Amino acid sequence: MAGLAWRTELGDRLTHAWAQIRHGGGQVHVLLGDAGIGKSTTLSWLADHIGSAARVITCRGGELGTPMSAVIEIASLLKVSTSLDWCSSDPDPMRGADVLCSALEKSSDVALLIDDIHDADPSSRTALNLALRRAVLSRVLVVVTGRRVRPTSAFAEGFRVHELHGLPPGDAMEMLSGATDAAIHPSVARRLVEEACGNPLALSELPQALTRDQLLGVRPLPQEIPLAGNLAAVFTHQLPPPDSAARELLDRVAVSADGSWVAIADTLANGRLTLRHPLLRNAVLGGMTEQRRRELNMELRRTHRCPTNSGWLIVPRV
């Protein structure tokens, strides 16, 4: 069970839930965990296990995201034929909930896998929450992931919730050892495992943030271990220089309502730039000013909306 060897019980629960939909047992599951703990990895593993029946969406944009952008993407994945014409200045979550509720009830043998619900635009999060509570799910499995923040906790209330915790000490030590070819002194390894709190991303990246002398215990570790408190910093050093063409592209991808944050790539696939990890987006956004983010969001809104007689028709890109 690649990527889930230490979460066999959770993997079994989710695969069992998928098997149940064939008997009319549709369910909603919410996976809660800190950044880098493995939520996206779990969802990716489940998508691979399910195959072509899986419909995957990664939420992005947050408070600055285009209103209803996540709802529109979900509706597109569920092949909703209804025209989606919410006015962006006054989105209607109730109407979005109606559309999604109908789509979910008409879908069959589908797994809707939604990553990073905390990063959905607020109107989409409200609409999806209402739809999932109202819909009579029979042959649909819905799995949603999110960080332990207030919006996610409010969204998850009443659904089947699974808390994702860090690796146990033994597995954490094994992962740390496999993250580098350099030797690590046992006392240093114990300190790093303690600082990482079992977080897989921290364990895999911490050795690269320290010198060989620090890993061997020849030189003392810094008073504050790099990355332990800010995992987005893992990717900060990978970013192109500000004002470069590559950084301009990353800035636009980071605020775009269209893209995937699964794995780093040097090329475009299906018209999308694919990024290595959700926290890479955090690193890019962290390097922007608030004004820059707003300017790019306004530009994207102008680019991907067209006026209609009833207001704005928000057109999803495929």
Side-chain angles (χ1 to χ4, degrees):
M1 190 180 296
L4 278 180
W6 50 282
R7 290 202 184 119
T8 303
E9 183 179 354
L10 175 59
D12 289 345
R13 288 180 183 178
L14 295 177
T15 53
H16 178 72
W18 170 242
Q20 287 297 105
I21 73 163
R22 299 176 183 176
H23 307 289
Q27 300 175 15
V28 178
H29 293 254
V30 180
L31 312 185
L32 295 181
D34 297 329
I37 203 68
K39 303 182 300 297
S40 298
T41 300
T42 302
L43 215 62
S44 178
W45 172 85
L46 184 60
D48 289 342
H49 172 79
I50 292 172
S52 61
R55 307 286 186 268
V56 184
I57 170 179
T58 299
C59 300
R60 58 192 67 83
E63 297 294 329
L64 297 178
T66 304
M68 288 298 177
S69 58
V71 166
I72 291 168
E73 188 169 356
I74 294 171
S76 177
L77 290 174
L78 295 177
K79 303 187 184 304
V80 174
S81 59
T82 305
S83 177
L84 307 179
D85 57 352
W86 294 285
C87 177
S88 64
S89 62
D90 184 24
D92 185 358
M94 294 301 294
R95 183 172 181 187
D98 289 341
V99 171
L100 291 184
C101 183
S102 176
L104 288 166
E105 292 184 337
K106 292 177 181 177
S107 297
S108 180
D109 297 333
V110 168
L112 179 61
L113 311 180
I114 303 172
D115 204 12
D116 290 343
I117 191 62
H118 58 271
D119 221 6
D121 62 279
S123 54
S124 287
R125 193 165 52 237
T126 299
L128 176 62
N129 188 268
L130 290 172
L132 292 176
R133 295 182 188 282
R134 288 165 45 191
V136 179
L137 300 179
S138 57
R139 298 178 68 91
V140 176
L141 170 65
V142 180
V143 181
V144 182
T145 76
R147 296 181 192 167
R148 291 189 184 93
V149 292
R150 179 176 292 181
T152 310
S153 298
F155 182 95
E157 187 174 352
F159 296 131
R160 294 175 175 86
V161 175
H162 308 276
E163 295 272 356
L164 274 66
H165 300 288
L167 295 169
D171 291 343
M173 190 69 73
E174 182 179 351
M175 187 168 191
L176 180 69
S177 300
T180 179
D181 293 332
I184 306 178
H185 191 275
S187 64
V188 175
R190 287 193 294 271
R191 171 79 185 280
L192 295 182
V193 166
E194 180 181 347
E195 292 285 345
C197 298
N199 188 297
L201 180 61
L203 289 165
S204 64
E205 296 290 341
L206 273 172
Q208 282 70 46
L210 301 171
T211 67
R212 287 182 176 268
D213 284 348
Q214 287 174 328
L215 291 174
L216 285 171
V218 176
R219 295 185 58 190
L221 293 174
Q223 187 172 2
E224 293 187 5
I225 302 292
L227 312 180
N230 179 19
L231 287 174
V234 169
F235 302 104
T236 300
H237 69 279
Q238 303 178 25
L239 299 179
D243 301 324
S244 66
R247 185 62 172 268
E248 174 75 11
L249 178 59
L250 279 175
D251 284 354
R252 293 175 182 277
V253 171
V255 300
S256 175
D258 179 49
S260 173
W261 324 110
V262 179
I264 193 78
D266 297 324
T267 59
L268 293 173
N270 298 320
R272 296 183 176 190
L273 179 66
T274 306
L275 302 181
R276 176 179 173 185
H277 192 277
L279 287 177
L280 177 54
R281 177 174 173 271
N282 292 51
V284 177
L285 292 176
M288 289 187 206
T289 64
E290 190 72 10
Q291 181 180 355
R292 171 67 170 160
R293 291 179 64 181
R294 291 186 181 279
E295 288 174 352
L296 288 177
N297 271 282
M298 291 300 296
E299 180 181 330
L300 287 167
R301 290 188 189 187
R302 289 194 300 269
T303 302
H304 301 293
R305 290 179 293 156
C306 55
T308 67
N309 293 333
S310 60
W312 289 101
L313 176 63
I314 305 176
V315 183
R317 288 174 289 172
V318 295

